[in-house]
Amino acid sequence: MFSKHVLYFSLARLALGQLDAIPTGFDTDRWAWWSNEDPLLAVIPGQFNRTLWDTSSAANVSDERVQAINDHVNQSSFVAYDERFFDIIGPKATVEQLQVLPFQVHEASCYIPETGQLFFIEWGPPGGVNGSHDWQYLLDVKTNDLTRIQTNPPTWNVHGCVYQNGKLHVVTDGGPDETPYLATIDPYTLERKTILNNYFEQPFISFNDLELDREGNYYLTDSYSGWGRSLHPYAAPTSPTVYFVNGTTLRIKPLTFLYPGNANGITLSPDGKTLYLADTGASDSSQKPGVRRDNYPRDLWAWDFATSSNGEKLPLLTNQRLISRAIQYFYDGIRVSRNGWLFGAGGETVDVLDPESGWTLGSIRVGGGGNDPVNIAFGKHEMRIIGKGGVWHVKNIRERLDKRWT
């Protein structure tokens, strides 16, 4: 499929073995090829080890040749594990850090094409006022000017965002005097309208993320995250839950529960027939300090929607299956591209996965050094990554990423 050349590294004038088999036209300074067809990677000599929290190229290894491979990967922007990743990203793509921000969680990214702005937030402690925030960010994508904004009325502790039908649709953890809720924000006037704040008079735990389908129905993840960081004073009323909310009637029902575990990133396939969910029970923000994190759940799941006798899609999930367990850390924000590829942000990378087979096709890196992607926002042939350390722009991507409706 590809015209390839093999890139070899040397250390003390010794060949270290194959790392890269990169197609012609792809910059080997920005790209790495990682395959177990390389004997050094399939059977690592000497001693080696890493924790699940570290990227594979940050492993402690005793073999100098393997260390040289890791050094190259750590200097790359794109790491391919599957040839399809080259086709998706293309040879012109680059990664640039737009904003250098504190190593504080930033997420809830929404790109507003009409205004050329990126909405996102700073979340939880140690930032804000005892971890709470009643303000958000707007980034002008042309000038790179970053502005703090406040909605009317102020919106506390936004955690997730989707832009659709001319509005920012957000979910919150709640605040000092309010329970979590679903709301819309007008991107021009910054007027906020609260849509839903209860499940039959039961408060939610703390909303984490959301997705909308083509018809404007909501899929909400109610998680331990905000409660675990004490962003509101009351006890968790239930286990982490995924809710379906009819966008017209606001009728609500649970779709699935996670116990143990924590409901986090959520997205839909382009045809709306499959739901994907990131379980981040391994996160230290998912439970109160001192509570044991059993089993370290950090999995990416998929379900299909059941259909009625006349073929109508129902708010019922079936055919649960494991897509993948992240190579490192866990996936926080997840989104599906126009052509159906899964993008998962977490650890030092944004990974691209095949939703049918579950294979991880490749990773987009943001420089390591504590930088941690948390959430992503698609443009047409670009994406912006939000996380610990700032904002990154991946541009000139070959495939179109944004969904077919907004």
Side-chain angles (χ1 to χ4, degrees), residues 252-298:
I252 182 173
K253 74 178 297 288
L255 291 176
T256 191
F257 296 87
L258 288 181
Y259 187 81
N262 196 39
N264 201 310
I266 191 167
T267 191
L268 296 168
S269 60
D271 60 10
K273 295 180 179 180
T274 303
L275 180 141
Y276 304 100
L277 176 69
D279 181 349
T280 60
S283 169
D284 62 3
S285 69
S286 64
Q287 300 185 38
K288 294 290 187 183
V291 178
R292 181 178 174 181
R293 293 176 288 171
D294 288 328
N295 301 320
Y296 294 99
R298 52 190 187 91

mmCIF file of all heavy atoms in Angstrom, residues 252-298:
data_model
loop_
_atom_site.group_PDB
_atom_site.id
_atom_site.type_symbol
_atom_site.label_atom_id
_atom_site.label_comp_id
_atom_site.label_asym_id
_atom_site.label_seq_id
_atom_site.Cartn_x
_atom_site.Cartn_y
_atom_site.Cartn_z
ATOM 1 N N ILE A 252 -36.651 12.014 30.428
ATOM 2 C CA ILE A 252 -35.330 11.501 30.757
ATOM 3 C C ILE A 252 -35.401 10.064 31.238
ATOM 4 O O ILE A 252 -36.373 9.666 31.907
ATOM 5 C CB ILE A 252 -34.669 12.393 31.840
ATOM 6 C CG1 ILE A 252 -33.259 11.904 32.170
ATOM 7 C CG2 ILE A 252 -35.522 12.496 33.074
ATOM 8 C CD1 ILE A 252 -32.492 12.823 33.098
ATOM 9 N N LYS A 253 -34.402 9.278 30.868
ATOM 10 C CA LYS A 253 -34.291 7.919 31.386
ATOM 11 C C LYS A 253 -32.827 7.501 31.410
ATOM 12 O O LYS A 253 -32.028 7.952 30.581
ATOM 13 C CB LYS A 253 -35.104 6.924 30.563
ATOM 14 C CG LYS A 253 -34.516 6.567 29.214
ATOM 15 C CD LYS A 253 -35.347 5.527 28.473
ATOM 16 C CE LYS A 253 -35.424 4.203 29.192
ATOM 17 N NZ LYS A 253 -34.149 3.448 29.147
ATOM 18 N N PRO A 254 -32.441 6.638 32.362
ATOM 19 C CA PRO A 254 -31.077 6.117 32.372
ATOM 20 C C PRO A 254 -30.877 5.097 31.262
ATOM 21 O O PRO A 254 -31.784 4.310 30.951
ATOM 22 C CB PRO A 254 -30.948 5.477 33.756
ATOM 23 C CG PRO A 254 -32.346 5.154 34.163
ATOM 24 C CD PRO A 254 -33.218 6.184 33.532
ATOM 25 N N LEU A 255 -29.679 5.120 30.686
ATOM 26 C CA LEU A 255 -29.306 4.137 29.665
ATOM 27 C C LEU A 255 -28.434 3.034 30.234
ATOM 28 O O LEU A 255 -28.568 1.870 29.868
ATOM 29 C CB LEU A 255 -28.572 4.824 28.510
ATOM 30 C CG LEU A 255 -29.381 5.752 27.623
ATOM 31 C CD1 LEU A 255 -28.470 6.423 26.594
ATOM 32 C CD2 LEU A 255 -30.503 4.989 26.913
ATOM 33 N N THR A 256 -27.500 3.394 31.115
ATOM 34 C CA THR A 256 -26.640 2.386 31.733
ATOM 35 C C THR A 256 -26.006 2.981 32.985
ATOM 36 O O THR A 256 -25.933 4.198 33.135
ATOM 37 C CB THR A 256 -25.552 1.890 30.753
ATOM 38 O OG1 THR A 256 -24.895 0.745 31.303
ATOM 39 C CG2 THR A 256 -24.520 2.963 30.469
ATOM 40 N N PHE A 257 -25.568 2.092 33.883
ATOM 41 C CA PHE A 257 -24.862 2.475 35.100
ATOM 42 C C PHE A 257 -23.451 1.905 35.044
ATOM 43 O O PHE A 257 -23.203 0.882 34.401
ATOM 44 C CB PHE A 257 -25.562 1.914 36.348
ATOM 45 C CG PHE A 257 -26.941 2.449 36.565
ATOM 46 C CD1 PHE A 257 -28.041 1.855 35.963
ATOM 47 C CD2 PHE A 257 -27.157 3.538 37.391
ATOM 48 C CE1 PHE A 257 -29.322 2.333 36.171
ATOM 49 C CE2 PHE A 257 -28.434 4.030 37.614
ATOM 50 C CZ PHE A 257 -29.518 3.430 36.998
ATOM 51 N N LEU A 258 -22.536 2.540 35.751
ATOM 52 C CA LEU A 258 -21.180 2.014 35.890
ATOM 53 C C LEU A 258 -20.875 1.858 37.369
ATOM 54 O O LEU A 258 -20.849 2.846 38.124
ATOM 55 C CB LEU A 258 -20.144 2.956 35.256
ATOM 56 C CG LEU A 258 -20.102 3.022 33.737
ATOM 57 C CD1 LEU A 258 -19.010 3.993 33.292
ATOM 58 C CD2 LEU A 258 -19.859 1.658 33.117
ATOM 59 N N TYR A 259 -20.663 0.611 37.802
ATOM 60 C CA TYR A 259 -20.226 0.381 39.172
ATOM 61 C C TYR A 259 -19.498 -0.956 39.230
ATOM 62 O O TYR A 259 -20.110 -1.989 38.935
ATOM 63 C CB TYR A 259 -21.398 0.372 40.129
ATOM 64 C CG TYR A 259 -20.926 0.292 41.562
ATOM 65 C CD1 TYR A 259 -20.492 1.430 42.237
ATOM 66 C CD2 TYR A 259 -20.876 -0.928 42.226
ATOM 67 C CE1 TYR A 259 -20.036 1.355 43.543
ATOM 68 C CE2 TYR A 259 -20.406 -1.015 43.523
ATOM 69 C CZ TYR A 259 -19.989 0.126 44.185
ATOM 70 O OH TYR A 259 -19.519 0.049 45.458
ATOM 71 N N PRO A 260 -18.207 -1.004 39.585
ATOM 72 C CA PRO A 260 -17.367 0.174 39.806
ATOM 73 C C PRO A 260 -17.086 0.881 38.488
ATOM 74 O O PRO A 260 -17.328 0.319 37.422
ATOM 75 C CB PRO A 260 -16.087 -0.413 40.403
ATOM 76 C CG PRO A 260 -16.005 -1.774 39.791
ATOM 77 C CD PRO A 260 -17.428 -2.259 39.674
ATOM 78 N N GLY A 261 -16.569 2.069 38.581
ATOM 79 C CA GLY A 261 -16.243 2.820 37.388
ATOM 80 C C GLY A 261 -16.765 4.234 37.473
ATOM 81 O O GLY A 261 -17.362 4.645 38.479
ATOM 82 N N ASN A 262 -16.561 4.987 36.393
ATOM 83 C CA ASN A 262 -16.974 6.382 36.362
ATOM 84 C C ASN A 262 -17.307 6.772 34.930
ATOM 85 O O ASN A 262 -16.489 6.585 34.021
ATOM 86 C CB ASN A 262 -15.863 7.283 36.912
ATOM 87 C CG ASN A 262 -16.367 8.664 37.248
ATOM 88 O OD1 ASN A 262 -17.466 8.828 37.767
ATOM 89 N ND2 ASN A 262 -15.556 9.680 36.970
ATOM 90 N N ALA A 263 -18.500 7.294 34.707
ATOM 91 C CA ALA A 263 -18.944 7.693 33.368
ATOM 92 C C ALA A 263 -18.296 9.021 32.996
ATOM 93 O O ALA A 263 -18.457 10.006 33.700
ATOM 94 C CB ALA A 263 -20.462 7.809 33.328
ATOM 95 N N ASN A 264 -17.578 9.037 31.870
ATOM 96 C CA ASN A 264 -16.850 10.244 31.495
ATOM 97 C C ASN A 264 -17.185 10.637 30.062
ATOM 98 O O ASN A 264 -18.305 11.011 29.762
ATOM 99 C CB ASN A 264 -15.350 10.019 31.697
ATOM 100 C CG ASN A 264 -14.577 11.300 31.821
ATOM 101 O OD1 ASN A 264 -14.719 12.204 31.008
ATOM 102 N ND2 ASN A 264 -13.732 11.406 32.841
ATOM 103 N N GLY A 265 -16.218 10.572 29.139
ATOM 104 C CA GLY A 265 -16.444 10.998 27.768
ATOM 105 C C GLY A 265 -17.492 10.152 27.068
ATOM 106 O O GLY A 265 -17.601 8.949 27.291
ATOM 107 N N ILE A 266 -18.262 10.796 26.192
ATOM 108 C CA ILE A 266 -19.334 10.099 25.486
ATOM 109 C C ILE A 266 -19.448 10.657 24.077
ATOM 110 O O ILE A 266 -19.250 11.856 23.844
ATOM 111 C CB ILE A 266 -20.670 10.245 26.257
ATOM 112 C CG1 ILE A 266 -21.736 9.311 25.687
ATOM 113 C CG2 ILE A 266 -21.141 11.701 26.289
ATOM 114 C CD1 ILE A 266 -22.963 9.183 26.603
ATOM 115 N N THR A 267 -19.754 9.784 23.114
ATOM 116 C CA THR A 267 -19.927 10.227 21.730
ATOM 117 C C THR A 267 -20.748 9.184 20.989
ATOM 118 O O THR A 267 -20.997 8.079 21.499
ATOM 119 C CB THR A 267 -18.565 10.461 21.056
ATOM 120 O OG1 THR A 267 -18.752 11.123 19.805
ATOM 121 C CG2 THR A 267 -17.807 9.168 20.827
ATOM 122 N N LEU A 268 -21.192 9.538 19.781
ATOM 123 C CA LEU A 268 -22.022 8.674 18.949
ATOM 124 C C LEU A 268 -21.362 8.426 17.611
ATOM 125 O O LEU A 268 -20.616 9.276 17.105
ATOM 126 C CB LEU A 268 -23.390 9.322 18.700
ATOM 127 C CG LEU A 268 -24.308 9.554 19.900
ATOM 128 C CD1 LEU A 268 -25.464 10.466 19.496
ATOM 129 C CD2 LEU A 268 -24.844 8.235 20.427
ATOM 130 N N SER A 269 -21.667 7.283 17.012
ATOM 131 C CA SER A 269 -21.233 7.022 15.648
ATOM 132 C C SER A 269 -21.925 7.995 14.698
ATOM 133 O O SER A 269 -22.983 8.557 15.028
ATOM 134 C CB SER A 269 -21.558 5.578 15.253
ATOM 135 O OG SER A 269 -22.959 5.350 15.335
ATOM 136 N N PRO A 270 -21.369 8.235 13.498
ATOM 137 C CA PRO A 270 -21.986 9.201 12.580
ATOM 138 C C PRO A 270 -23.429 8.893 12.234
ATOM 139 O O PRO A 270 -24.226 9.820 12.018
ATOM 140 C CB PRO A 270 -21.081 9.121 11.348
ATOM 141 C CG PRO A 270 -19.750 8.719 11.881
ATOM 142 C CD PRO A 270 -20.060 7.760 12.994
ATOM 143 N N ASP A 271 -23.814 7.606 12.199
ATOM 144 C CA ASP A 271 -25.203 7.266 11.886
ATOM 145 C C ASP A 271 -26.091 7.256 13.128
ATOM 146 O O ASP A 271 -27.300 7.007 13.036
ATOM 147 C CB ASP A 271 -25.290 5.912 11.175
ATOM 148 C CG ASP A 271 -24.739 4.748 12.003
ATOM 149 O OD1 ASP A 271 -24.446 4.941 13.209
ATOM 150 O OD2 ASP A 271 -24.579 3.650 11.441
ATOM 151 N N GLY A 272 -25.514 7.525 14.303
ATOM 152 C CA GLY A 272 -26.294 7.598 15.522
ATOM 153 C C GLY A 272 -26.728 6.263 16.091
ATOM 154 O O GLY A 272 -27.467 6.217 17.075
ATOM 155 N N LYS A 273 -26.230 5.165 15.530
ATOM 156 C CA LYS A 273 -26.700 3.839 15.958
ATOM 157 C C LYS A 273 -25.857 3.228 17.068
ATOM 158 O O LYS A 273 -26.254 2.219 17.666
ATOM 159 C CB LYS A 273 -26.728 2.889 14.752
ATOM 160 C CG LYS A 273 -27.728 3.293 13.676
ATOM 161 C CD LYS A 273 -27.710 2.311 12.522
ATOM 162 C CE LYS A 273 -28.734 2.692 11.452
ATOM 163 N NZ LYS A 273 -28.718 1.739 10.305
ATOM 164 N N THR A 274 -24.699 3.811 17.338
ATOM 165 C CA THR A 274 -23.791 3.251 18.338
ATOM 166 C C THR A 274 -23.364 4.337 19.306
ATOM 167 O O THR A 274 -23.077 5.470 18.899
ATOM 168 C CB THR A 274 -22.550 2.642 17.667
ATOM 169 O OG1 THR A 274 -22.961 1.644 16.720
ATOM 170 C CG2 THR A 274 -21.616 1.998 18.683
ATOM 171 N N LEU A 275 -23.335 4.007 20.585
ATOM 172 C CA LEU A 275 -22.889 4.917 21.624
ATOM 173 C C LEU A 275 -21.559 4.427 22.182
ATOM 174 O O LEU A 275 -21.386 3.229 22.432
ATOM 175 C CB LEU A 275 -23.930 5.014 22.739
ATOM 176 C CG LEU A 275 -23.607 5.945 23.910
ATOM 177 C CD1 LEU A 275 -24.862 6.689 24.347
ATOM 178 C CD2 LEU A 275 -23.022 5.180 25.097
ATOM 179 N N TYR A 276 -20.623 5.365 22.371
ATOM 180 C CA TYR A 276 -19.309 5.050 22.936
ATOM 181 C C TYR A 276 -19.159 5.798 24.259
ATOM 182 O O TYR A 276 -19.571 6.956 24.380
ATOM 183 C CB TYR A 276 -18.191 5.473 21.985
ATOM 184 C CG TYR A 276 -18.299 4.859 20.608
ATOM 185 C CD1 TYR A 276 -18.822 5.592 19.544
ATOM 186 C CD2 TYR A 276 -17.880 3.563 20.367
ATOM 187 C CE1 TYR A 276 -18.921 5.038 18.276
ATOM 188 C CE2 TYR A 276 -17.974 2.995 19.100
ATOM 189 C CZ TYR A 276 -18.500 3.734 18.063
ATOM 190 O OH TYR A 276 -18.604 3.189 16.810
ATOM 191 N N LEU A 277 -18.533 5.141 25.231
ATOM 192 C CA LEU A 277 -18.396 5.711 26.569
ATOM 193 C C LEU A 277 -17.019 5.399 27.130
ATOM 194 O O LEU A 277 -16.553 4.256 27.057
ATOM 195 C CB LEU A 277 -19.467 5.137 27.496
ATOM 196 C CG LEU A 277 -19.403 5.569 28.965
ATOM 197 C CD1 LEU A 277 -19.767 7.042 29.112
ATOM 198 C CD2 LEU A 277 -20.322 4.690 29.820
ATOM 199 N N ALA A 278 -16.383 6.416 27.700
ATOM 200 C CA ALA A 278 -15.103 6.237 28.382
ATOM 201 C C ALA A 278 -15.351 6.060 29.873
ATOM 202 O O ALA A 278 -15.983 6.896 30.509
ATOM 203 C CB ALA A 278 -14.200 7.448 28.142
ATOM 204 N N ASP A 279 -14.844 4.956 30.412
ATOM 205 C CA ASP A 279 -14.915 4.672 31.846
ATOM 206 C C ASP A 279 -13.598 5.095 32.475
ATOM 207 O O ASP A 279 -12.545 4.544 32.163
ATOM 208 C CB ASP A 279 -15.160 3.177 32.064
ATOM 209 C CG ASP A 279 -15.278 2.786 33.539
ATOM 210 O OD1 ASP A 279 -14.967 3.623 34.408
ATOM 211 O OD2 ASP A 279 -15.653 1.635 33.814
ATOM 212 N N THR A 280 -13.647 6.078 33.384
ATOM 213 C CA THR A 280 -12.429 6.597 34.009
ATOM 214 C C THR A 280 -12.450 6.376 35.516
ATOM 215 O O THR A 280 -12.050 7.236 36.297
ATOM 216 C CB THR A 280 -12.231 8.084 33.690
ATOM 217 O OG1 THR A 280 -13.365 8.821 34.183
ATOM 218 C CG2 THR A 280 -12.101 8.313 32.201
ATOM 219 N N GLY A 281 -12.906 5.196 35.923
ATOM 220 C CA GLY A 281 -12.918 4.881 37.336
ATOM 221 C C GLY A 281 -11.543 4.884 37.967
ATOM 222 O O GLY A 281 -11.412 5.007 39.188
ATOM 223 N N ALA A 282 -10.488 4.758 37.152
ATOM 224 C CA ALA A 282 -9.122 4.791 37.674
ATOM 225 C C ALA A 282 -8.679 6.193 38.061
ATOM 226 O O ALA A 282 -7.649 6.358 38.716
ATOM 227 C CB ALA A 282 -8.156 4.223 36.634
ATOM 228 N N SER A 283 -9.442 7.212 37.663
ATOM 229 C CA SER A 283 -9.046 8.591 37.935
ATOM 230 C C SER A 283 -9.077 8.883 39.423
ATOM 231 O O SER A 283 -9.986 8.462 40.141
ATOM 232 C CB SER A 283 -9.979 9.560 37.214
ATOM 233 O OG SER A 283 -9.783 10.881 37.655
ATOM 234 N N ASP A 284 -8.083 9.664 39.885
ATOM 235 C CA ASP A 284 -8.067 10.031 41.297
ATOM 236 C C ASP A 284 -9.113 11.084 41.634
ATOM 237 O O ASP A 284 -9.276 11.454 42.792
ATOM 238 C CB ASP A 284 -6.679 10.506 41.731
ATOM 239 C CG ASP A 284 -6.221 11.753 40.993
ATOM 240 O OD1 ASP A 284 -7.000 12.286 40.188
ATOM 241 O OD2 ASP A 284 -5.075 12.183 41.205
ATOM 242 N N SER A 285 -9.830 11.589 40.607
ATOM 243 C CA SER A 285 -10.901 12.557 40.877
ATOM 244 C C SER A 285 -12.263 11.887 40.912
ATOM 245 O O SER A 285 -13.272 12.553 41.104
ATOM 246 C CB SER A 285 -10.909 13.648 39.801
ATOM 247 O OG SER A 285 -11.319 13.119 38.562
ATOM 248 N N SER A 286 -12.309 10.555 40.730
ATOM 249 C CA SER A 286 -13.597 9.885 40.637
ATOM 250 C C SER A 286 -14.175 9.521 41.988
ATOM 251 O O SER A 286 -15.347 9.198 42.104
ATOM 252 C CB SER A 286 -13.469 8.616 39.778
ATOM 253 O OG SER A 286 -12.599 7.682 40.393
ATOM 254 N N GLN A 287 -13.352 9.532 43.037
ATOM 255 C CA GLN A 287 -13.832 9.189 44.358
ATOM 256 C C GLN A 287 -13.170 10.090 45.384
ATOM 257 O O GLN A 287 -12.163 10.734 45.121
ATOM 258 C CB GLN A 287 -13.531 7.723 44.668
ATOM 259 C CG GLN A 287 -14.179 6.746 43.694
ATOM 260 C CD GLN A 287 -13.953 5.309 44.097
ATOM 261 O OE1 GLN A 287 -13.971 4.987 45.269
ATOM 262 N NE2 GLN A 287 -13.745 4.460 43.134
ATOM 263 N N LYS A 288 -13.750 10.112 46.571
ATOM 264 C CA LYS A 288 -13.187 10.920 47.642
ATOM 265 C C LYS A 288 -11.795 10.419 48.008
ATOM 266 O O LYS A 288 -11.500 9.230 47.866
ATOM 267 C CB LYS A 288 -14.089 10.855 48.874
ATOM 268 C CG LYS A 288 -15.458 11.480 48.690
ATOM 269 C CD LYS A 288 -15.390 12.988 48.567
ATOM 270 C CE LYS A 288 -16.782 13.596 48.553
ATOM 271 N NZ LYS A 288 -16.762 15.046 48.362
ATOM 272 N N PRO A 289 -10.917 11.309 48.468
ATOM 273 C CA PRO A 289 -9.579 10.886 48.876
ATOM 274 C C PRO A 289 -9.636 9.769 49.911
ATOM 275 O O PRO A 289 -10.468 9.769 50.815
ATOM 276 C CB PRO A 289 -8.982 12.167 49.473
ATOM 277 C CG PRO A 289 -9.723 13.268 48.804
ATOM 278 C CD PRO A 289 -11.105 12.756 48.602
ATOM 279 N N GLY A 290 -8.736 8.785 49.732
ATOM 280 C CA GLY A 290 -8.663 7.684 50.666
ATOM 281 C C GLY A 290 -9.525 6.497 50.304
ATOM 282 O O GLY A 290 -9.425 5.437 50.914
ATOM 283 N N VAL A 291 -10.403 6.648 49.286
ATOM 284 C CA VAL A 291 -11.233 5.541 48.845
ATOM 285 C C VAL A 291 -10.467 4.729 47.816
ATOM 286 O O VAL A 291 -9.927 5.263 46.850
ATOM 287 C CB VAL A 291 -12.562 6.044 48.241
ATOM 288 C CG1 VAL A 291 -13.389 4.874 47.735
ATOM 289 C CG2 VAL A 291 -13.339 6.836 49.282
ATOM 290 N N ARG A 292 -10.403 3.420 48.006
ATOM 291 C CA ARG A 292 -9.620 2.559 47.124
ATOM 292 C C ARG A 292 -10.209 2.524 45.716
ATOM 293 O O ARG A 292 -11.425 2.428 45.548
ATOM 294 C CB ARG A 292 -9.574 1.141 47.695
ATOM 295 C CG ARG A 292 -8.759 0.178 46.869
ATOM 296 C CD ARG A 292 -8.715 -1.186 47.535
ATOM 297 N NE ARG A 292 -8.054 -2.176 46.694
ATOM 298 C CZ ARG A 292 -7.898 -3.443 47.024
ATOM 299 N NH1 ARG A 292 -8.357 -3.871 48.196
ATOM 300 N NH2 ARG A 292 -7.296 -4.272 46.211
ATOM 301 N N ARG A 293 -9.348 2.588 44.719
ATOM 302 C CA ARG A 293 -9.788 2.542 43.324
ATOM 303 C C ARG A 293 -9.662 1.102 42.824
ATOM 304 O O ARG A 293 -8.689 0.725 42.179
ATOM 305 C CB ARG A 293 -8.945 3.494 42.477
ATOM 306 C CG ARG A 293 -9.158 4.949 42.825
ATOM 307 C CD ARG A 293 -8.237 5.842 42.048
ATOM 308 N NE ARG A 293 -6.862 5.743 42.516
ATOM 309 C CZ ARG A 293 -5.828 6.276 41.911
ATOM 310 N NH1 ARG A 293 -6.000 6.947 40.793
ATOM 311 N NH2 ARG A 293 -4.616 6.149 42.393
ATOM 312 N N ASP A 294 -10.636 0.262 43.104
ATOM 313 C CA ASP A 294 -10.568 -1.144 42.754
ATOM 314 C C ASP A 294 -10.571 -1.338 41.244
ATOM 315 O O ASP A 294 -11.316 -0.691 40.507
ATOM 316 C CB ASP A 294 -11.756 -1.901 43.352
ATOM 317 C CG ASP A 294 -11.635 -2.044 44.861
ATOM 318 O OD1 ASP A 294 -10.495 -2.135 45.341
ATOM 319 O OD2 ASP A 294 -12.672 -2.040 45.537
ATOM 320 N N ASN A 295 -9.721 -2.243 40.795
ATOM 321 C CA ASN A 295 -9.701 -2.737 39.413
ATOM 322 C C ASN A 295 -9.229 -1.720 38.373
ATOM 323 O O ASN A 295 -9.074 -2.066 37.211
ATOM 324 C CB ASN A 295 -11.093 -3.244 38.992
ATOM 325 C CG ASN A 295 -11.595 -4.349 39.882
ATOM 326 O OD1 ASN A 295 -10.821 -5.223 40.270
ATOM 327 N ND2 ASN A 295 -12.867 -4.318 40.229
ATOM 328 N N TYR A 296 -9.023 -0.469 38.764
ATOM 329 C CA TYR A 296 -8.540 0.543 37.832
ATOM 330 C C TYR A 296 -9.320 0.554 36.514
ATOM 331 O O TYR A 296 -8.740 0.444 35.443
ATOM 332 C CB TYR A 296 -7.049 0.341 37.554
ATOM 333 C CG TYR A 296 -6.182 0.589 38.761
ATOM 334 C CD1 TYR A 296 -5.711 -0.464 39.529
ATOM 335 C CD2 TYR A 296 -5.840 1.881 39.141
ATOM 336 C CE1 TYR A 296 -4.927 -0.236 40.657
ATOM 337 C CE2 TYR A 296 -5.055 2.117 40.251
ATOM 338 C CZ TYR A 296 -4.606 1.051 41.004
ATOM 339 O OH TYR A 296 -3.831 1.286 42.100
ATOM 340 N N PRO A 297 -10.638 0.663 36.529
ATOM 341 C CA PRO A 297 -11.374 0.692 35.259
ATOM 342 C C PRO A 297 -10.992 1.913 34.434
ATOM 343 O O PRO A 297 -11.048 3.052 34.916
ATOM 344 C CB PRO A 297 -12.841 0.732 35.689
ATOM 345 C CG PRO A 297 -12.833 1.155 37.105
ATOM 346 C CD PRO A 297 -11.532 0.758 37.691
ATOM 347 N N ARG A 298 -10.611 1.689 33.195
ATOM 348 C CA ARG A 298 -10.196 2.776 32.294
ATOM 349 C C ARG A 298 -10.429 2.326 30.851
ATOM 350 O O ARG A 298 -9.559 2.401 30.009
ATOM 351 C CB ARG A 298 -8.719 3.126 32.538
ATOM 352 C CG ARG A 298 -7.774 1.959 32.505
ATOM 353 C CD ARG A 298 -6.357 2.312 32.996
ATOM 354 N NE ARG A 298 -5.450 1.196 32.779
ATOM 355 C CZ ARG A 298 -4.721 1.019 31.677
ATOM 356 N NH1 ARG A 298 -4.791 1.905 30.694
ATOM 357 N NH2 ARG A 298 -3.930 -0.013 31.551
#
